[in-house]
């Protein structure tokens, strides 16, 4: 790239990182740097455009990509999507991101009171109203992880927090498909059991760190088993093995433990 282009790109970068990009209709505005230099955004080369896009959130990237074919190509470039963060399951259904082999870091964290009050309650204890709420989103994360298994073989880091409907099979499928996965963090995922830990021991050949925090159906024996089979993994489980696990109605849970569980979600 010529020196003049470098100066123009640097000026445009300063402008874009200091204030949002504006658009008029379906065409980007011309950029004016320090009142002297005027240029069109699409005059930048692909490398500069990728760098500029990296400063934008997912929605802004998509909005900008709708202005012209050149910027749409930048939006679709897999190199732009090495990291993805979602703060609720509904965000997984949007078309403001791209899944691909460049994805390295993936986080789905849902910090909501709905997780504790609805999603984390056993199915046989849920009211019809709670079941109706869950039905609208219970398969979103599992479906998304299935896409990740097929499209993101180079994933290195996966964090799932507050995903009350994911199952052991979802986790095992990721471990089987994403062989390079190094760090797995599961937090407040009520349906995760020792079966996921068995999957870690069987398929997590590249894993270096595993956390299963506040997953009440993880047991101490399950943690010990994976520690013995895979001593090289840094394993931690904050509160998981100390919490009251789910018990099916036919198991006739003692009244005291039932009251403890009711108080836990009240």
């Amino acid at each position: 790239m010529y020196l003049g282009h470098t100066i123009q790109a640097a000026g445009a970068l300063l402008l874009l990182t200091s204030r949002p990009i504006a658009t008029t209709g379906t065409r980007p505005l011309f950029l004016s740097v320090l009142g002297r230099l005027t240029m069109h955004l699409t005059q930048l080369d692909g490398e500069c455009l990728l760098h500029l896009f990296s400063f934008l959130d997912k929605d802004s990237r998509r909005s900008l990509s709708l202005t012209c074919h050149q910027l749409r190509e930048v939006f679709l470039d897999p190199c732009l999507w090495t990291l993805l963060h979602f703060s609720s399951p509904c965000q997984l259904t949007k078309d403001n991101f791209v899944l691909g082999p460049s994805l390295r870091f993936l986080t789905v964290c849902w910090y909501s009171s709905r997780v504790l009050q609805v999603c984390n309650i056993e199915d046989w204890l849920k009211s019809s109203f709670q079941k109706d709420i869950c039905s609208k989103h219970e398969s979103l994360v599992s479906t998304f992880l299935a896409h990740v298994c097929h499209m993101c073989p180079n994933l290195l880091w996966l964090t799932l927090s507050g995903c009350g409907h994911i199952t052991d099979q979802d986790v095992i499928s990721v471990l089987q498909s994403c062989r390079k996965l190094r760090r797995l963090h599961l937090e407040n995922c009520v349906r995760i059991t020792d079966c996921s830990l068995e999957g870690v021991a069987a398929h997590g050949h590249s894993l270096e760190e595993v956390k299963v925090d506040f997953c009440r159906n993880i047991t101490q024996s399950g943690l010990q088993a994976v520690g013995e089979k895979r001593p090289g993994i840094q394993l931690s489980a904050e509160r998981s093995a100390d919490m009251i696990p789910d018990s099916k109605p036919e198991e006739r849970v003692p009244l005291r433990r039932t009251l403890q569980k009711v108080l836990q979600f009240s």
Side-chain angles (χ1 to χ4, degrees), residues 14 26 40 112 133 145 175 192:
L14 289 174
T26 58
H40 197 280
S112 170
I133 293 177
L145 290 178
L175 292 170
I192 297 303

Side-chain angles (χ1 to χ4, degrees), residues 86-90 92 106-112 114-116 118-121 126 134 137-142 144-145 158-168 170-171 185-192 213-215:
F86 302 93
S87 57
S88 71
C90 66
L92 302 175
L106 173 61
T107 301
V108 182
C109 292
W110 195 21
Y111 299 117
S112 170
R114 186 181 301 179
V115 175
L116 291 176
V118 180
C119 298
N120 277 5
I121 298 177
K126 290 178 182 177
C134 287
H137 64 263
E138 62 183 345
S139 63
L140 292 182
V141 180
S142 295
F144 177 76
L145 290 178
L158 175 62
T159 297
L160 301 172
S161 179
C163 301
H165 297 288
I166 63 167
T167 65
D168 293 319
D170 295 328
V171 175
H185 186 186
L186 305 174
E187 179 184 21
N188 200 16
C189 298
V190 67
R191 296 191 180 187
I192 297 303
D213 299 335
F214 298 92
C215 298

Side-chain angles (χ1 to χ4, degrees), residues 163-213:
C163 301
H165 297 288
I166 63 167
T167 65
D168 293 319
Q169 187 55 53
D170 295 328
V171 175
I172 293 172
S173 295
V174 171
L175 292 170
Q176 291 175 328
S177 302
C178 305
R179 295 286 185 169
K180 298 180 181 180
L181 192 67
R182 296 178 185 175
R183 286 176 172 80
L184 175 65
H185 186 186
L186 305 174
E187 179 184 21
N188 200 16
C189 298
V190 67
R191 296 191 180 187
I192 297 303
T193 70
D194 290 348
C195 291
S196 289
L197 296 180
E198 294 173 3
V200 165
H203 308 292
H205 304 292
S206 300
L207 282 173
E208 300 172 359
E209 181 182 34
V210 175
K211 295 182 178 180
V212 282
D213 299 335

Side-chain angles (χ1 to χ4, degrees), residues 2-247:
Y2 295 111
L3 178 60
H5 291 165
T6 304
I7 296 174
Q8 291 176 342
L13 176 60
L14 289 174
L15 177 66
L16 291 173
T17 54
S18 62
R19 63 185 182 185
I21 296 176
T23 59
T24 302
T26 58
R27 300 184 61 186
L29 288 177
F30 285 81
L31 304 178
S32 177
V33 181
L34 302 180
R36 296 191 295 270
L37 178 65
T38 300
M39 66 175 300
H40 197 280
L41 179 62
T42 55
Q43 290 179 260
L44 297 173
D45 65 9
E47 184 178 353
C48 287
L49 289 174
L50 275 175
H51 187 64
L52 295 178
F53 265 70
S54 70
F55 288 91
L56 305 176
D57 58 32
K58 294 190 291 294
D59 287 330
S60 298
R61 291 177 182 180
R62 180 184 179 277
S63 297
L64 189 58
S65 74
L66 298 177
T67 58
C68 68
H69 291 295
Q70 181 180 349
L71 296 181
R72 183 64 180 175
E73 291 179 359
V74 177
F75 174 82
L76 296 176
D77 193 317
C79 296
L80 184 64
W81 304 99
T82 59
L83 182 151
L84 282 173
H85 174 83
F86 302 93
S87 57
S88 71
C90 66
Q91 294 182 355
L92 302 175
T93 62
K94 294 184 177 181
D95 59 350
N96 60 358
F97 62 91
V98 174
L99 283 181
S102 294
L103 183 64
R104 299 293 188 272
F105 306 93
L106 173 61
T107 301
V108 182
C109 292
W110 195 21
Y111 299 117
S112 170
S113 59
R114 186 181 301 179
V115 175
L116 291 176
Q117 297 174 359
V118 180
C119 298
N120 277 5
I121 298 177
E122 299 95 311
D123 289 336
W124 53 85
L125 292 178
K126 290 178 182 177
S127 66
S128 58
F129 176 69
Q130 291 170 325
K131 290 180 180 179
D132 182 62
I133 293 177
C134 287
S135 67
K136 294 177 172 60
H137 64 263
E138 62 183 345
S139 63
L140 292 182
V141 180
S142 295
T143 301
F144 177 76
L145 290 178
H147 292 311
V148 170
C149 290
H150 291 294
M151 304 175 67
C152 310
N154 300 314
L155 188 66
L156 300 177
W157 194 313
L158 175 62
T159 297
L160 301 172
S161 179
C163 301
H165 297 288
I166 63 167
T167 65
D168 293 319
Q169 187 55 53
D170 295 328
V171 175
I172 293 172
S173 295
V174 171
L175 292 170
Q176 291 175 328
S177 302
C178 305
R179 295 286 185 169
K180 298 180 181 180
L181 192 67
R182 296 178 185 175
R183 286 176 172 80
L184 175 65
H185 186 186
L186 305 174
E187 179 184 21
N188 200 16
C189 298
V190 67
R191 296 191 180 187
I192 297 303
T193 70
D194 290 348
C195 291
S196 289
L197 296 180
E198 294 173 3
V200 165
H203 308 292
H205 304 292
S206 300
L207 282 173
E208 300 172 359
E209 181 182 34
V210 175
K211 295 182 178 180
V212 282
D213 299 335
F214 298 92
C215 298
R216 67 172 181 258
N217 289 306
I218 293 292
T219 67
Q220 189 62 45
S221 60
L223 294 171
Q224 291 175 350
V226 73
E228 293 171 357
K229 295 177 182 178
R230 299 294 304 276
I233 295 179
Q234 182 180 347
L235 180 64
S236 64
E238 184 179 354
R239 296 287 299 276
S240 291
D242 299 327
M243 300 177 74
I244 301 173
D246 294 343
S247 300

